[in-house]
Amino acid sequence: MSSLLDIKDLHAGITDKPIINGLSLSINPGEVHAIMGPNGSGKSTLSYVLSGKSGYEVNGGEMLFEGQELAEMTPEARAIAGLFLAFQYPLEIPGVTNMTFLKTSLNAIRRGRGEEDMDAASFLRLAREKSRALGMDDDMLRRQLNVGFSGGEKKRNEILQMAMLEPKLAILDETDSGLDIDALKTVAEGVNALRSPERGMLVITHYQRLLDFIKPDVVHVMAKGQIVKSGGPELALELEKSGYAEYVGGADAASAGSPAHA
Amino acid sequence: MSEAKASMSEAKASIDKETVEQVAQFGGEHYKYGFTTEIDMDRVENGLSEDIIRFISAKKEEPQWLLDWRLDAYERWLTMEEPEWAHVDYPKIDYQDLCYYAAPKSMEDGPKSLDEVDPELLKTYKKLGIPLIEQEMLAGVRKVAVDAVFDSVSVGTTFRDELAKDGVIFCSFSEAVKEHPDLVQKYLGSVVPKSDNYFTALNSAVFSDGSFVYIPPGVRCPMELSTYFRINEANTGQFERTLVIADKGSYVSYLEGCTAPMRDENQLHAAVVELVALEDAEIKYSTVQNWYPGDADGKGGIYNFVTKRGDCREDRARISWTQVETGSAVTWKYPSCILRGDGSSGEFYSIAISNNLQQVDSGTKMIHLGKNTSSKIISKGISAGRSSNCYRGQVSVHPKAANARNFTQCDSLLIGDKCAAHTVPYIEAKNLSALLEHEATTSKISDDQLFFCQQRGLDAEEAVALIVNGFCRDVLQNLPMEFAVEAQQLVGISLEGSVG
């Protein structure tokens, strides 16, 4: 069976400070996995290590994306291969319009795949269609990237980029943080619209709340840099009741080597 | 485990190597104008003296008054000191070791029609992307008339006949001296006096050619005018003069571009540009300066010591400077406006990029003399590598300049941690009704911004180019359409190798 993402016994962290300690995880096309865990358990680090942020080092193990070792690829090569990270804190780029950014990004990825740039008219049509589907008005495409955007607008904009780039694997890093319930629903609808048999998703979150809207196939509990428990959607509900206390103390005892599946 | 680590560090090493190579190439293949042209040149012995000045003047068959003017400038220059107040550092220039006149031999027999221009020269300009053959201009694209200056002489001016139909004069400076001596004598040195500074005195003594523009009253110049300066000869100084006169109620948009071959020794470029805008006239002057900046170790490159000044001589005149400065080893340049007429206005939009060991000291002066005058300064400085980038500006409101207004915005962007940005604004208000605003920011391209772009598929260079273009947006929007795209690409090219 060919996994989309196959992480085996991953050790990683920032210089001299291990954060991920022997994590294993496997995601198949079409699956939505959720990772939950307390602050400091290494959830965001995992998303940075997978996407190749500088400053994070891989010290052991494997992370294969369609059989290719991610650690050997530049961040942009990973994006071109189809890995997308929806940022917890999307960055502002003053003076660059949302439209320009989307176009530059889409064409960089197309070029990286040996495809032609998309022509201006097709691009415009696509951008309008996708942004309207997310309930964004056209004005948002003309604004400077994330400058003066509300928290909800920034997150929705991340989903717009994801919709435009159509990645094979989308990692959503605490996409629910800072959103009110209405914004959360819109974002979740956007994400659900992108679920497909070819696409995998890794949803990182603190709270069950998001998972009410984005139904995961598998839920993992992460603590101290490892996956300490895996289960179906019911696991998230359990956590909501009992909290993480049970796992925070017990990570060392938990087995780290078994990639879990529903 | 060790395998993954090894492959990671291998990948890292190869990225580091790439960066080093890119930096190494920066002075090399990435400066695409660095070629030289093999052509028979007529050049005088190195050195500066009264004899050389008499030689240049005779070569150009100039009238006596112009020779006297040159000699007077030379005498003043001899008593002057090279300025040292700018935030730049370069070895002393030996003015006796420079060549003050070099021209292609084929130009020897006086002015020619474009059809007779040496094919080697045409090739050079073609390589630079500048069409000197009018038929080659793309059909359907807005026409741009070009005056091309090669070392010391103008080698051709396009669309002169078509411009003449509207009474617009666009020709080389030497021709203007012969054909329009009254205009030249009336306006030459009237904005930038001979002894304004050390380099203007030098230029006034030895200037060899340049461009001349006159727009008659009420005429809106039907096409963009442009001059392309090219230094080719080694050890040659380039001293050209540009004089643009917009008569009452006229309008002209003018662009200048500059390139030079890659040479290990430094070359001096000391130009003077004078703009005169009469009543209700408007001049828009744009520069894309891409002189050879020297290699990554700071070897070679142009010393760009230029004086540019515009005079809003009569009421409601308007002058706007837009500059994109990416080249030169050392830049010393302050395009300024004298707001003499009541209700006149001056604008300065600038992008100054420095990489490697480049040094830039640039800015503007807005001198408010008339009532209800207004000025606007938008300066964007970008420093990368080990470069130094200084904005130096002066806003001066004289006692009679009631209701003068100025808005200044001065932003610096730093890339990496070995470069420097300086801001030195002088503000002087001698009239209580003046309203002056100054805003300044300094920022860095953050690793997070870079990573964000890379996660969206851009490589580091593309990411920097995108972020910097965003930073420069306000200024790029002011360039004539034809050149905005070129400038945008130039921004990316000049910063290649700036991220590791």
Side-chain angles (χ1 to χ4, degrees):
Chain A
M1 185 186 79
S2 64
S3 309
L4 184 60
L5 179 69
D6 209 354
I7 306 175
K8 277 188 196 138
D9 194 25
L10 181 70
H11 291 260
I14 44 179
T15 323
D16 300 330
K17 193 190 170 211
I19 300 173
I20 309 274
N21 302 306
L23 182 142
S24 296
L25 171 69
S26 176
I27 299 177
N28 291 316
E31 290 178 353
V32 174
H33 289 230
I35 290 192
M36 302 182 71
N39 289 323
S41 57
K43 301 190 302 293
S44 286
T45 297
L46 178 62
S47 72
Y48 292 145
V49 171
L50 287 172
S51 52
K53 188 174 184 180
S54 65
Y56 290 85
E57 283 172 17
V58 175
N59 300 314
E62 287 185 343
M63 34 182 200
L64 299 177
F65 183 66
E66 294 193 310
Q68 255 190 306
E69 176 53 65
L70 286 172
E72 290 167 6
M73 298 159 75
T74 60
E76 61 270 25
R78 301 180 202 201
I80 289 163
L83 186 146
F84 180 91
L85 171 64
F87 283 64
Q88 184 179 2
Y89 304 107
L91 277 294
E92 297 181 2
I93 304 185
V96 175
T97 64
N98 215 355
M99 190 79 101
T100 303
F101 184 72
L102 280 173
K103 196 171 167 186
T104 311
S105 163
L106 183 69
N107 285 333
I109 285 178
R110 288 173 70 103
R111 253 174 268 156
R113 293 175 183 165
E115 297 164 19
E116 297 273 303
D117 282 11
M118 187 178 278
D119 67 86
S122 311
F123 170 80
L124 200 64
R125 213 176 305 124
L126 187 69
R128 288 214 173 115
E129 179 198 313
K130 300 281 187 193
S131 62
R132 278 175 196 159
L134 282 162
M136 298 161 73
D137 61 50
D138 292 353
D139 182 51
M140 245 176 80
L141 291 171
R142 285 189 290 271
R143 285 165 62 185
Q144 299 179 27
L145 182 67
N146 292 329
V147 177
F149 281 29
S150 70
E153 284 174 326
K154 283 184 183 174
K155 293 294 171 73
R156 212 182 296 182
N157 209 29
E158 291 291 288
I159 304 306
L160 172 64
Q161 289 162 40
M162 177 173 149
M164 291 292 290
L165 300 178
E166 300 187 317
K168 290 177 186 158
L169 176 69
I171 303 167
L172 288 85
D173 187 7
E174 306 212 7
T175 295
D176 51 334
S177 69
L179 294 189
D180 60 42
I181 194 73
D182 294 326
L184 184 68
K185 272 185 192 164
T186 324
V187 166
E189 275 166 24
V191 173
N192 285 329
L194 288 166
R195 289 179 82 146
S196 88
E198 295 82 39
R199 184 169 294 129
M201 290 192 191
L202 183 61
V203 181
I204 294 173
T205 180
H206 275 297
Y207 304 109
Q208 149 69 21
R209 192 176 72 154
L210 178 67
L211 305 181
D212 287 340
F213 301 103
I214 304 174
K215 290 265 180 270
D217 299 305
V218 190
V219 174
H220 307 277
V221 181
M222 190 167 174
K224 295 190 175 170
Q226 293 177 340
I227 290 190
V228 292
K229 190 170 186 185
S230 303
E234 72 286 349
L235 180 57
L237 293 168
E238 226 172 85
L239 284 170
E240 188 76 357
K241 269 185 241 143
S242 55
Y244 295 116
E246 165 189 356
Y247 304 102
V248 174
D252 296 334
S255 102
S258 58
H261 270 294
Chain B
M1 150 158 184
S2 59
E3 206 175 282
K5 196 173 185 179
S7 65
M8 186 70 181
S9 62
E10 217 171 82
K12 253 190 125 175
S14 93
I15 293 168
D16 288 348
K17 191 162 156 262
E18 255 172 50
T19 307
V20 170
E21 278 167 4
Q22 264 167 357
V23 171
Q25 275 178 7
F26 174 68
E29 281 137 50
H30 288 246
Y31 185 76
K32 63 174 180 175
Y33 307 110
F35 60 90
T36 50
T37 307
E38 291 301 328
I39 196 164
D40 264 355
M41 294 294 286
D42 181 20
R43 60 179 285 167
V44 296
E45 291 294 303
N46 287 2
L48 181 55
S49 64
E50 254 194 56
D51 286 346
I52 292 287
I53 293 165
R54 286 179 191 280
F55 170 85
I56 295 171
S57 189
K59 195 97 193 162
K60 304 202 154 288
E61 299 163 6
E62 287 177 354
Q64 186 63 38
W65 70 263
L66 191 49
L67 174 61
D68 293 343
W69 196 82
R70 286 175 181 276
L71 292 172
D72 179 46
Y74 178 60
E75 246 170 66
R76 290 171 190 240
W77 179 73
L78 287 173
T79 67
M80 295 169 85
E81 299 273 334
E82 197 169 326
E84 284 176 351
W85 44 261
H87 197 94
V88 293
D89 186 25
Y90 56 93
K92 267 236 153 312
I93 298 170
D94 181 356
Y95 291 90
Q96 294 306 332
D97 194 32
L98 285 178
C99 167
Y100 290 87
Y101 185 84
K105 271 221 170 97
S106 55
M107 303 298 294
E108 187 77 324
D109 312 321
K112 306 206 163 196
S113 80
L114 276 171
D115 309 335
E116 289 171 53
V117 171
D118 189 319
E120 271 302 309
L121 275 176
L122 289 182
K123 254 194 250 167
T124 298
Y125 280 92
K126 203 166 177 185
K127 264 196 218 173
L128 296 170
I130 305 151
L132 282 186
I133 304 292
E134 292 174 11
Q135 287 79 356
E136 280 185 10
M137 305 288 299
L138 288 171
V141 171
R142 206 150 40 113
K143 285 177 192 164
V144 179
V146 178
D147 182 27
V149 177
F150 193 82
D151 288 330
S152 301
V153 294
S154 164
V155 296
T157 310
T158 60
F159 291 109
R160 293 175 52 162
D161 298 342
E162 196 168 332
L163 287 166
K165 283 180 209 151
D166 288 305
V168 172
I169 303 169
F170 180 41
C171 63
S172 75
F173 205 92
S174 309
E175 286 168 88
V177 170
K178 284 183 185 144
E179 289 163 28
H180 311 282
D182 300 348
L183 283 172
V184 175
Q185 195 167 6
K186 181 171 176 190
Y187 290 105
L188 179 67
S190 73
V191 185
V192 180
K194 280 177 282 204
S195 54
D196 184 82
N197 65 64
Y198 188 79
F199 298 110
T200 59
L202 178 64
N203 174 288
S204 301
V206 301
F207 76 87
S208 44
D209 215 333
S211 305
F212 177 85
V213 175
Y214 173 78
I215 315 289
V219 169
R220 194 180 165 85
C221 187
M223 61 182 91
E224 304 271 345
L225 304 184
S226 71
T227 300
Y228 270 90
F229 295 106
R230 172 80 179 164
I231 299 179
N232 186 56
E233 276 286 283
N235 272 321
T236 312
Q238 189 168 30
F239 307 94
E240 80 278 355
R241 284 194 88 94
T242 304
L243 178 55
V244 179
I245 302 144
D247 213 324
K248 293 180 197 298
S250 68
Y251 167 85
V252 63
S253 169
Y254 191 91
L255 181 114
E256 69 173 15
C258 328
T259 59
M262 293 184 284
R263 293 190 187 281
D264 285 347
E265 66 273 14
N266 297 104
Q267 287 178 283
L268 176 64
H269 174 251
V272 173
V273 175
E274 296 180 277
L275 311 183
V276 182
L278 301 182
E279 201 175 79
D280 292 308
E282 180 177 357
I283 302 175
K284 198 171 151 59
Y285 196 103
S286 315
T287 303
V288 175
Q289 186 265 105
N290 188 21
W291 293 120
Y292 177 53
D295 68 11
D297 300 317
K299 197 171 182 198
I302 304 288
Y303 292 157
N304 195 33
F305 302 151
V306 172
T307 302
K308 294 182 162 178
R309 196 172 300 158
D311 187 359
C312 291
R313 197 159 286 182
E314 296 180 354
D315 294 352
R316 296 171 304 277
R318 297 173 60 190
I319 289 178
S320 165
W321 297 101
T322 304
Q323 61 171 20
V324 180
E325 301 276 313
T326 64
S328 298
V330 182
T331 300
W332 180 98
K333 183 182 162 190
Y334 316 90
S336 305
C337 297
I338 301 168
L339 305 169
R340 199 184 304 272
D342 289 347
S344 61
S345 75
E347 290 173 327
F348 175 74
Y349 299 94
S350 170
I351 298 170
I353 299 179
S354 56
N355 196 0
N356 295 323
L357 282 165
Q358 281 178 276
Q359 304 173 61
V360 180
D361 195 297
S362 183
T364 184
K365 286 188 273 186
M366 294 291 175
I367 312 295
H368 293 256
L369 301 176
K371 294 182 186 68
N372 304 313
T373 47
S374 64
S375 61
K376 183 174 170 187
I377 299 170
I378 308 282
S379 165
K380 306 275 180 178
I382 298 115
S383 344
R386 286 174 287 160
S387 68
S388 159
N389 204 321
C390 175
Y391 167 81
R392 188 181 302 275
Q394 182 182 16
V395 176
S396 167
V397 178
H398 284 237
K400 286 180 182 164
N403 302 315
R405 295 282 180 272
N406 166 265
F407 173 76
T408 299
Q409 186 177 335
C410 196
D411 299 325
S412 305
L413 184 70
L414 300 164
I415 302 172
D417 53 9
K418 293 190 177 64
C419 55
H422 309 270
T423 304
V424 190
Y426 300 84
I427 300 169
E428 192 180 58
K430 292 185 179 152
N431 185 304
L432 283 174
S433 63
L435 185 67
L436 311 176
E437 291 174 75
H438 183 95
E439 288 179 14
T441 65
T442 303
S443 52
K444 271 190 82 162
I445 292 187
S446 71
D447 289 347
D448 286 345
Q449 274 176 323
L450 279 180
F451 174 60
F452 185 59
C453 293
Q454 285 177 288
Q455 214 302 304
R456 297 298 183 257
L458 284 69
D459 66 31
E461 307 268 340
E462 289 169 327
V464 168
L466 182 78
I467 294 167
V468 172
N469 269 307
F471 175 77
C472 301
R473 189 169 119 115
D474 303 347
V475 176
L476 288 170
Q477 279 174 337
N478 263 288
L479 282 172
M481 241 255 286
E482 290 87 341
F483 308 112
V485 178
E486 184 186 333
Q488 242 174 37
Q489 288 167 349
L490 195 56
V491 166
I493 293 167
S494 352
L495 287 168
E496 267 169 16
S498 63
V499 281

